[in-house]
DNA sequence: GCGCTTCTGTAATGCAAATTACATTCGTAA
DNA sequence: TTACGAATGTAATTTGCATTACAGAAGCGC
């Protein structure tokens, strides 16, 4: 690691910290101080950023790439808790829990991550209530999402959960087209399954059904929703709004929690994120 | 509502707010100011404190009684998210979400509740970072719990979830006895089921099995755990510590999330809370 | 191109748990 | 004490999904 390399990374860290919505509250001086402590790291696709055993005392800010948060059981079952998109913070619970992480974060694509020492952040929060409130909002927002996912696991069938997920994907990555909406992210059936808490086979079957019902259309990785309203109707929801520009809300960490069997090898999010 | 009654209530509110761990951070002056805005209300057993539709902009502090948080579907399925014990805060997500509550809070026993206007609290948080950090910790703590519950729903069987719940109850309400641990709270099978996300019948059967395996003993509402270690072993967990005094940690909001069919009538937590 | 792996599709079988349908006991208010 | 609703116990039946087991297709490095 030569000096210029280090400088480059630090410069990047500075830029990204300043542009993360969570830190908008800080004054220029504070930002500079925080950035002094920030360190940036690059993780190749598939690499683990932290493990459930790590006693991490750092908060992470994703600069580039995509990160997957998942939970794994000793016997190899795995669930995807959510994805982190650039500009988002993750691992934020370590800020206060004096315990270890309870999940695993891995780079779903080559990822540049900025590490912010928890110690520092806590100090900043004490001096800057705005920041503290921002963090509270963030954690609360994600808690609300998890509660929703919990509910859907309790109350809804595999099929309904998958449909719900498709609707969320449409809202997040959807782009209106001549006929229907094309979803600009491609996930494998296995990943969809891990998100909603089902098996790969179930997802394959359900997608097939939905297609033959004329609700969606699948052509090699490309998913298109033909009848948004009818789809939303099935699960008794309002059809989400799908913009031309989309990417509705950047407060991500989306998706439901799911389960999947870990086949002993890396599984990766396809990189092609159209749109 | 005559004046003296009002005064009485306000005095109570004052006392309780001052004694809630969350508000220890505030100075005497701040406390007094907050208390000016606090209002206390009494809810009879079974009454709803807030509904999923309420646009509540208040945080609640339970002074006396017990509150149940649950989630209900349009078709009558119901899940218990957790219970609130005296001294604990609830409804805290409303502090920031500009939306409605997503759950329902009802008095599981006659309950005295102190209402703190969200507007006020937000102001206090801006002036007192300690308070903001306290709130963050609280929300984060509960989020971590929910994530654990989600995992157990995904990865564990009905049986294992029930055992886990029994262990938690032992830790919270357990009291060491000559042989085994008596659990000082009595919940109906239906309630246990709603907490772990199973049906009443399943719970009845599993409890029966556990009894015939010599792990527990049930005699009219009274649950006794005979072999804590073996029980914990079944679910691959460390046996929880059970004090003579117990009530380990007051940061409650315990239990897993569950499901149950709402039989169109009130269901109440038995009042007898031994210990 | 070829061969490899990763993904997708399909179908039979198994199983945990919900559903349904009662019988019994308990608690408690009349 | 009786009577009634609530809580518990048990069992047969159904079902949603996981499991298991392949076979074909698509992507990709060589």
């Amino acid at each position: 690691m030569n000096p210029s390399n280090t400088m480059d990374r630090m410069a990047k860290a500075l830029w990204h910290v300043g542009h993360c919505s969570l830190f908008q509250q800080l004054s220029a001086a504070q930002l500079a101080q925080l950035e002094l402590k920030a360190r940036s790291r690059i993780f190749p696709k598939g690499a683990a950023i932290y493990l459930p055993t790590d006693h991490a005392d750092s908060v992470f800010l994703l600069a580039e790439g995509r990160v997957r948060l998942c939970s794994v059981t000793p016997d190899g079952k795995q669930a995807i808790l959510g994805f982190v998109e650039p500009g988002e913070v993750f691992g934020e619970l370590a800020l206060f829990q004096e315990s270890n992480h309870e999940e695993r974060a891995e780079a779903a694509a080559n990822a540049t991550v900025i590490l912010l020492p928890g110690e520092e952040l806590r100090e900043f929060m004490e001096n800057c209530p705005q920041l503290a409130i921002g963090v509270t909002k963030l954690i609360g927002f994600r808690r609300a999402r998890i509660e929703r996912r919990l509910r859907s696991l309790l109350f809804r069938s595999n099929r309904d959960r998958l449909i719900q997920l498709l609707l969320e994907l449409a809202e997040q990555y959807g782009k209106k087209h001549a006929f229907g909406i094309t979803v600009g992210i491609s996930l494998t059936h296995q990943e969809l399954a891990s998100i909603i808490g089902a098996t790969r086979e179930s997802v394959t079957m359900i997608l097939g059904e939905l297609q033959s019902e004329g609700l969606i259309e699948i052509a090699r990785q490309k998913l298109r929703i033909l009848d948004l309203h009818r789809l939303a109707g099935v699960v008794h929801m309002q059809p989400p709004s799908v913009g031309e520009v989309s990417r509705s809300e950047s407060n991500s960490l989306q998706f439901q929690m799911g389960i999947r069997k870990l086949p002993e090898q890396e599984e990766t999010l396809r990189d092609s994120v159209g749109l």
Side-chain angles (χ1 to χ4, degrees), chain A:
Chain A
M1 194 201 291
N2 62 54
S4 73
N5 191 347
T6 307
M7 285 304 292
D8 188 39
R9 284 206 204 163
M10 288 209 38
K12 270 189 187 170
L14 192 145
W15 191 90
H16 284 295
V17 172
H19 282 72
C20 174
S21 62
L22 190 56
F23 301 112
Q24 301 278 320
Q25 326 288 352
L26 298 177
S27 71
Q30 288 176 309
L31 262 184
Q33 200 188 331
L34 182 57
E35 282 154 7
L36 270 181
K37 309 290 186 157
R39 288 292 175 271
S40 140
R41 270 189 74 185
I42 295 176
F43 294 88
K45 179 171 166 176
I49 296 170
Y50 59 77
L51 299 172
T53 48
D54 287 5
H55 172 76
D57 186 43
S58 273
V59 174
F60 301 84
L61 168 58
L62 181 63
E64 277 180 70
R66 178 179 285 138
V67 168
R68 176 170 40 219
L69 302 177
C70 38
S71 161
V72 196
T73 58
D75 56 313
K77 301 253 199 160
Q78 185 171 338
I80 297 181
L81 287 157
F83 289 100
V84 180
E85 303 287 337
E88 291 176 11
V89 164
F90 64 104
E92 74 279 0
L93 282 197
L95 250 183
F96 296 108
Q97 248 84 305
E98 278 322 312
S99 57
N100 301 331
H101 281 293
E102 300 192 358
E103 81 254 351
R104 166 190 159 90
E106 62 193 35
N110 292 333
T112 308
V113 171
I114 294 157
L115 288 92
L116 303 164
E119 186 57 47
E120 299 297 320
L121 262 184
R122 275 190 292 271
E123 268 176 40
F124 273 95
M125 283 175 68
E126 283 174 24
N127 298 326
C128 175
Q130 288 302 327
L131 177 62
I133 289 178
V135 171
T136 310
K137 274 186 185 174
L138 177 72
I139 295 181
F141 182 81
R142 290 179 180 176
R143 179 175 137 195
R145 169 139 51 210
I146 293 195
E147 289 193 9
R148 272 196 292 280
R149 311 258 131 100
L150 193 42
R151 262 193 294 277
S152 87
L153 253 184
L154 283 169
F155 295 133
R156 303 174 99 91
S157 67
N158 262 352
R159 183 175 212 268
D160 286 6
R161 293 206 303 284
L162 181 55
I163 292 176
Q164 258 197 300
L165 175 57
L166 294 183
L167 293 173
E168 285 179 44
L169 288 176
E171 178 156 25
Q172 267 252 327
Y173 302 98
K175 192 177 170 186
K176 262 185 201 142
H177 222 260
F179 292 93
I181 297 150
T182 59
V183 175
I185 186 176
S186 69
L187 301 164
T188 67
H189 292 184
Q190 179 62 78
E191 281 168 321
L192 293 172
S194 304
I195 292 168
I196 64 168
T199 58
R200 202 270 309 160
E201 292 83 347
S202 298
V203 168
T204 303
M205 297 250 60
I206 296 168
L207 285 179
E209 285 171 30
L210 294 179
Q211 184 165 29
S212 67
E213 289 168 30
L215 291 166
I216 64 172
E217 199 181 76
I218 347 176
R220 77 191 120 90
Q221 328 279 17
K222 268 293 192 71
L223 186 72
R224 174 182 291 178
I225 292 174
L226 298 177
D227 193 337
L228 189 68
H229 283 260
R230 196 144 62 89
L231 206 56
V234 175
V235 290
H236 313 106
M237 289 183 60
Q238 306 308 323
S241 62
V242 179
E244 321 292 316
V245 227
S246 193
R247 182 141 303 188
S248 47
E249 176 175 17
S250 92
N251 221 345
S252 255
L253 212 254
Q254 56 278 117
F255 308 145
Q256 300 187 218
M257 196 175 191
I259 198 178
R260 75 175 159 182
K261 198 66 155 287
L262 187 70
E264 226 61 27
Q265 95 286 339
E266 285 301 342
E267 276 169 83
T268 54
L269 188 78
R270 302 277 176 77
D271 296 312
S272 55
V273 182
L275 159 80

